Amino acid sequence: MAAPIEPTITQQRPSSTSARLSLAPRGSAPGRLDGAWWPRSRDLLREIPALTDVLDARWGRITRVTVNPAHWPVIPRKVPVTGHTVHVGWFADEQDPHTLILLSYTVGRLDLLVIPPETEPSAAARLMAAAAAPGNSRTASGLLADEAMSHDATDARNLEEEWETEGGAASAAGSASGLSSARRGR
């Protein structure tokens, strides 16, 4: 006689790694953003606990989080974190798609730039510094757009330099003069 096998249900524990976070210094000139957060994934159940572990100790208990659903595939209503539960909401039109808003009894409101998880470390470092700069005036989407334009310009310069080192304009000019000489000789 065979014994029935019941599936084992395991609760996946949120990531224990610390949050990648940069905040404006306390007492600094207020800016449009209070800092930046670079999550490791787009899974709020895994990412919010690490974020609140850092912020609860520094800013006071985080009670609510809001996101724009554009970049989060699943938005849970509640996320269990160390010692309490964080309520999660979303605003599609009212909230910048790249901003996370946190509410705390102590601090009030914190607005963080959310750096996409797939961002290269050097770009993420620049974005974190810009978002945490005292008195910053750029929106989250504005900072990401500036970084993308800067990255595109760097790529274009690199391609041009590569073209030049491979013979580039000189090679193209030589080919063109060779063609025109050949045509004249006809």
Side-chain angles (χ1 to χ4, degrees), residues 102-120:
L102 300 117
L103 301 173
S104 162
Y105 290 126
T106 310
V107 176
R109 176 177 164 162
L110 293 171
D111 288 26
L112 300 178
L113 161 67
V114 178
I115 299 170
E118 63 276 4
T119 302
E120 294 177 9

Side-chain angles (χ1 to χ4, degrees), residues 15-32:
S15 174
S16 62
T17 56
S18 65
R20 298 182 292 186
L21 180 68
S22 177
L23 297 171
R26 280 190 175 200
S28 63
R32 184 169 261 174

Side-chain angles (χ1 to χ4, degrees), residues 19-124:
R20 298 182 292 186
L21 180 68
S22 177
L23 297 171
R26 280 190 175 200
S28 63
R32 184 169 261 174
L33 295 168
D34 299 300
W37 175 48
W38 186 22
R40 288 174 171 78
S41 71
R42 296 208 183 268
D43 182 351
L44 289 170
L45 279 172
R46 292 185 60 81
E47 298 296 335
I48 288 177
L51 179 62
T52 59
D53 281 350
V54 172
L55 290 173
D56 281 358
R58 184 170 176 179
W59 294 98
R61 178 179 273 189
I62 301 299
T63 58
R64 293 192 173 279
V65 172
T66 65
V67 297
N68 183 307
H71 299 292
W72 301 100
V74 175
I75 301 172
R77 297 191 73 220
K78 296 178 182 179
V79 176
V81 300
T82 306
H84 65 286
T85 300
V86 172
H87 297 270
V88 182
W90 58 272
F91 296 98
D93 297 329
E94 300 86 356
Q95 187 169 333
D96 184 311
H98 302 286
T99 301
L100 176 85
I101 298 173
L102 300 117
L103 301 173
S104 162
Y105 290 126
T106 310
V107 176
R109 176 177 164 162
L110 293 171
D111 288 26
L112 300 178
L113 161 67
V114 178
I115 299 170
E118 63 276 4
T119 302
E120 294 177 9
S122 58

